[in-house]
Amino acid sequence: MFRGRLVTVEGIDGSGKTTHIDHICACLRQQNISVIRTREPGGTELGEALREILIRRVDLAMDAETELLLMFSARMEHLRKLICPALENGTWVVIDRFIDATYAYQGGGRGVSMDRIRLLENWVLNGLTPDLTILLDLPIEISLARTNARKQASDRFELQDREFKNTVREAYLERARQNPERIRIVEASAEMSIVKRAISDILGSLIEQIHSQI
Ligand code: TMP
């Protein structure tokens, strides 16, 4: 039995993650690959309860490092209950946000020490790294226009100002510079068909690379 692959999708709000994750899962299933789709924070019963606190309970004041620890608590549960068993079973896992979101939002946006995040990453992920990360990049103006149009009320992160969002975007781009093999940047402001084609091509090369290793 071959191990499944871990694909993560990242990007600031309004980057079209949901639609593009639909496309990724459809592409994989077309190749007869069994795939589970999940999200962070969340993905398990406890993780979803933590998500509610982390994202929706804007009435609760929260220290940035408490926020960091709760993100990793949800992640530990997710890894133990869902991600690792699926990968071991040969199933691919596609996650709407994962470890790079923590570097971008808690590290970049909140200014928590990157070393502290790395420490938790080493403990909780224990060497697991996504096989592929698609970073849907978007200028802040377009992100703001799209999220304002959506008018999603009371999300702890969507409520942050432009400066926060800009720092998050920059931190994502820095992660991509540091991990050029794994993190592939896709211009999410392009026309939908162009974005989809770019994603299909990236997935196609990953599948080809896997086949050439067998
Ligand atoms: P979304 O999944 O609906 O995009 O919302 C999840 C929010 O949680 C998003 O604003 C980013 C934030 N987040 C973090 O701040 N750190 C993390 O590690 C993760 C996974 C998400």
Side-chain angles (χ1 to χ4, degrees), residues 65 68 103 107 112-122:
E65 290 192 322
L68 173 70
Y103 283 98
V112 174
S113 138
M114 297 289 185
D115 283 343
R116 194 147 280 182
I117 300 177
R118 253 184 297 277
L119 209 77
L120 289 166
E121 178 184 7
N122 289 340

Short mmCIF file of all heavy atoms in Angstrom, two decimals, residues 65 68 103 107 112-122:
data_model
loop_
_atom_site.label_atom_id
_atom_site.label_comp_id
_atom_site.label_asym_id
_atom_site.label_seq_id
_atom_site.Cartn_x
_atom_site.Cartn_y
_atom_site.Cartn_z
N GLU A 65 -0.73 34.24 21.75
CA GLU A 65 -0.11 32.92 21.96
C GLU A 65 -1.14 31.87 22.38
O GLU A 65 -0.96 30.68 22.12
CB GLU A 65 1.05 33.03 22.96
CG GLU A 65 2.20 33.80 22.31
CD GLU A 65 3.49 33.73 23.08
OE1 GLU A 65 3.46 33.76 24.33
OE2 GLU A 65 4.54 33.67 22.42
N LEU A 68 -2.46 30.80 19.16
CA LEU A 68 -1.50 29.87 18.53
C LEU A 68 -1.66 28.46 19.10
O LEU A 68 -1.72 27.47 18.35
CB LEU A 68 -0.07 30.38 18.79
CG LEU A 68 1.06 29.47 18.35
CD1 LEU A 68 1.15 29.42 16.82
CD2 LEU A 68 2.40 29.94 18.93
N TYR A 103 2.09 30.20 10.26
CA TYR A 103 3.22 31.12 10.06
C TYR A 103 2.71 32.47 9.54
O TYR A 103 3.22 33.52 9.92
CB TYR A 103 4.25 30.52 9.10
CG TYR A 103 5.11 29.46 9.76
CD1 TYR A 103 4.83 28.10 9.62
CD2 TYR A 103 6.20 29.82 10.55
CE1 TYR A 103 5.61 27.13 10.24
CE2 TYR A 103 6.99 28.86 11.17
CZ TYR A 103 6.69 27.52 11.02
OH TYR A 103 7.46 26.57 11.64
N GLY A 107 2.22 34.12 13.00
CA GLY A 107 3.58 34.66 12.89
C GLY A 107 3.58 36.04 12.26
O GLY A 107 4.04 37.02 12.85
N VAL A 112 3.66 36.74 16.47
CA VAL A 112 4.20 35.73 17.40
C VAL A 112 5.55 35.26 16.83
O VAL A 112 5.72 35.18 15.61
CB VAL A 112 3.23 34.52 17.53
CG1 VAL A 112 3.85 33.42 18.37
CG2 VAL A 112 1.90 34.95 18.12
N SER A 113 6.48 34.95 17.72
CA SER A 113 7.81 34.53 17.28
C SER A 113 7.76 33.28 16.39
O SER A 113 7.12 32.29 16.73
CB SER A 113 8.67 34.26 18.53
OG SER A 113 9.43 33.10 18.36
N MET A 114 8.44 33.38 15.24
CA MET A 114 8.47 32.26 14.29
C MET A 114 9.15 31.05 14.94
O MET A 114 8.83 29.90 14.65
CB MET A 114 9.18 32.65 13.00
CG MET A 114 8.50 33.77 12.22
SD MET A 114 6.94 33.23 11.45
CE MET A 114 6.51 34.71 10.51
N ASP A 115 10.13 31.31 15.82
CA ASP A 115 10.83 30.20 16.49
C ASP A 115 9.88 29.40 17.36
O ASP A 115 9.96 28.19 17.45
CB ASP A 115 11.97 30.74 17.36
CG ASP A 115 13.15 31.14 16.50
OD1 ASP A 115 13.20 30.68 15.34
OD2 ASP A 115 14.01 31.91 16.99
N ARG A 116 8.99 30.14 18.01
CA ARG A 116 8.00 29.47 18.87
C ARG A 116 7.08 28.59 18.02
O ARG A 116 6.72 27.49 18.41
CB ARG A 116 7.19 30.55 19.60
CG ARG A 116 6.41 30.01 20.73
CD ARG A 116 6.30 30.99 21.85
NE ARG A 116 7.49 31.02 22.68
CZ ARG A 116 7.63 31.77 23.75
NH1 ARG A 116 6.66 32.56 24.12
NH2 ARG A 116 8.72 31.73 24.46
N ILE A 117 6.70 29.11 16.84
CA ILE A 117 5.83 28.32 15.94
C ILE A 117 6.57 27.07 15.47
O ILE A 117 6.03 25.97 15.44
CB ILE A 117 5.36 29.17 14.73
CG1 ILE A 117 4.56 30.39 15.24
CG2 ILE A 117 4.51 28.34 13.77
CD1 ILE A 117 4.11 31.35 14.17
N ARG A 118 7.88 27.25 15.14
CA ARG A 118 8.67 26.11 14.68
C ARG A 118 8.76 25.03 15.74
O ARG A 118 8.72 23.84 15.48
CB ARG A 118 10.09 26.57 14.30
CG ARG A 118 10.31 26.57 12.80
CD ARG A 118 11.74 26.93 12.42
NE ARG A 118 12.10 28.27 12.82
CZ ARG A 118 11.81 29.37 12.10
NH1 ARG A 118 11.17 29.27 10.97
NH2 ARG A 118 12.17 30.56 12.53
N LEU A 119 8.87 25.48 17.00
CA LEU A 119 8.95 24.54 18.12
C LEU A 119 7.69 23.68 18.17
O LEU A 119 7.75 22.45 18.30
CB LEU A 119 9.02 25.39 19.40
CG LEU A 119 9.74 24.83 20.59
CD1 LEU A 119 11.24 24.94 20.37
CD2 LEU A 119 9.36 25.65 21.85
N LEU A 120 6.54 24.33 18.05
CA LEU A 120 5.27 23.60 18.08
C LEU A 120 5.12 22.73 16.83
O LEU A 120 4.61 21.62 16.89
CB LEU A 120 4.09 24.58 18.19
CG LEU A 120 3.97 25.26 19.56
CD1 LEU A 120 3.02 26.45 19.49
CD2 LEU A 120 3.50 24.29 20.61
N GLU A 121 5.59 23.25 15.71
CA GLU A 121 5.52 22.47 14.46
C GLU A 121 6.30 21.16 14.63
O GLU A 121 5.83 20.08 14.27
CB GLU A 121 6.07 23.27 13.27
CG GLU A 121 6.04 22.45 11.99
CD GLU A 121 6.68 23.13 10.79
OE1 GLU A 121 7.29 24.22 10.94
OE2 GLU A 121 6.57 22.56 9.69
N ASN A 122 7.52 21.27 15.19
CA ASN A 122 8.35 20.08 15.35
C ASN A 122 7.66 19.05 16.24
O ASN A 122 7.72 17.85 15.99
CB ASN A 122 9.71 20.44 15.95
CG ASN A 122 10.56 21.19 14.95
OD1 ASN A 122 10.30 21.12 13.74
ND2 ASN A 122 11.54 21.94 15.43
#
